[in-house]
């Protein structure tokens, strides 16, 4: 079975109603990201940071996967599909994808603020200041903040290196180290990028840029790959 490795970003969830970071109307216009998504912000104002992630989590319970998430599930009929997502939502899992690696953490999980290995499923959308881990420290969102290491990167790079076909969907390729993963694609591997944005992809050898929204673009590409596979 051929392996398809898929790198997804905020754009794949846009049609589900979750705003991206950089598009107009995106989260960055409403919040100063340095005030809500850094370890310094958490130190300075945990209430504000926690409120930001509580809002994101609450919204996540109100949205559904879209056509793009479901098309990736269908590809599993004929391919070994491995998803590497920068997203903290759980829409790939809810659509039914079986192998999903979260590079930047998961919104529905929380963890100890003194021991990263203590990760818990949060019951419901709201984390409260005062809720503690078993070591007695405040629980924090299980997300990778700007300035923090991305522990899954070596595993994601290894996986990228095993792709027979590589798909990139809905990411500006601006956030590192995730954006650097494309350099681990083996030479000669077919690479498809689905993103309606104008972006410079000259550094990605042989990439075919499909300038469509994730829903329609992924659906069409999946149909093509299923016919071939
Ligand atoms: P980004 O905001 O930097 O880029 C979003 C990309 O999506 C852009 O290239 C844009 O052209 C494209 N896009 C917009 N609408 C689209 C659509 N309908 N279909 C396909 N593409 C569309 O996002 P990023 O590259 O993922 O990086 C930002 C960081 O923000 C990531 O670390 C990610 O974890 C985080 N984030 C996650 C979520 C989520 O979990 N859903 C939402 C916002 C931000």
């Amino acid at each position: 079975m051929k392996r398809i490795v898929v790198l997804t970003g905020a754009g794949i969830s846009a049609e589900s109603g979750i705003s991206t970071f950089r598009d107009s109307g995106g989260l960055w216009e409403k919040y100063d990201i340095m005030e809500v998504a850094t370890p310094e912000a958490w130190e300075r104002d945990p209430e504000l940071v926690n409120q930001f992630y509580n809002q994101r989590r609450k919204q996540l319970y109100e949205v559904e996967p879209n056509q793009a998430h479901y098309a990736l599930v269908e590809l599993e009929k004929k391919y070994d599909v491995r998803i590497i997502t920068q997203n903290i939502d759980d829409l790939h899992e809810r659509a039914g994808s079986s192998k999903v690696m979260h590079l930047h953490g998961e919104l529905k999980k929380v963890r100890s603020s003194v021991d990263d290995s203590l990760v818990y499923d949060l019951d419901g959308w709201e984390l409260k200041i005062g809720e503690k881990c078993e070591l007695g420290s405040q629980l924090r969102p299980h997300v990778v903040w700007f300035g923090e290491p991305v522990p899954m990167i070596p595993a994601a790079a290894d996986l990228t290196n095993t792709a027979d076909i590589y798909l990139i969907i809905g990411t500006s390729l601006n956030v590192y180290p995730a954006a650097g993963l494309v350099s681990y694609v083996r030479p000669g591997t077919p690479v498809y990028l689905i993103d309606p944005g104008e972006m410079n992809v000259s550094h990605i050898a042989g990439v075919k840029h499909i300038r469509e929204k994730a829903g329609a673009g992924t659906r069409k590409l999946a149909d093509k790959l299923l016919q071939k596979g």
Side-chain angles (χ1 to χ4, degrees), residues 148-165:
E148 291 188 315
V150 185
M152 297 306 288
I153 279 290
D158 286 350
L159 189 55
T160 300
N161 194 248
T162 65
D164 298 307
I165 300 171

Side-chain angles (χ1 to χ4, degrees), residues 27 31 36 42 45-62 88 106-111 122-131 138-143 145:
L27 294 174
Y31 292 87
V36 290
W42 177 247
D45 194 345
E47 287 279 359
L48 177 75
V49 173
N50 191 44
Q51 191 186 48
F52 173 77
Y53 285 99
N54 277 344
Q55 283 175 23
R56 308 273 73 73
R57 210 178 287 113
K58 191 172 184 200
Q59 182 196 30
L60 185 50
Y61 280 96
E62 293 158 5
I88 56 176
E106 293 173 72
L107 198 46
K108 287 188 177 169
K109 293 184 177 172
V110 293
R111 71 169 187 256
L122 186 66
D123 205 9
W125 61 269
E126 193 179 17
L127 173 64
K128 295 193 179 77
I129 295 297
E131 278 187 78
Q138 174 62 45
L139 290 168
R140 56 162 276 183
H142 180 50
V143 296
W145 285 324

Side-chain angles (χ1 to χ4, degrees), residues 45-102:
D45 194 345
E47 287 279 359
L48 177 75
V49 173
N50 191 44
Q51 191 186 48
F52 173 77
Y53 285 99
N54 277 344
Q55 283 175 23
R56 308 273 73 73
R57 210 178 287 113
K58 191 172 184 200
Q59 182 196 30
L60 185 50
Y61 280 96
E62 293 158 5
V63 302
E64 300 291 339
N66 64 57
Q67 220 190 157
H69 299 101
Y70 288 116
L72 294 180
V73 179
E74 253 181 76
L75 281 172
E76 293 194 13
K77 285 184 198 154
K78 287 201 177 174
Y79 294 91
D80 172 19
V81 180
R82 309 296 183 100
I83 296 173
I84 302 170
T85 187
Q86 299 169 78
N87 295 342
I88 56 176
D89 67 52
D90 62 349
L91 297 181
H92 286 300
E93 288 91 341
R94 274 158 58 190
S97 281
S98 60
K99 296 190 180 97
V100 184
M101 179 190 288
H102 283 270

Side-chain angles (χ1 to χ4, degrees), residues 127 132 175 214 219:
L127 173 64
K132 297 188 172 150
V175 175
R219 180 68 270 159

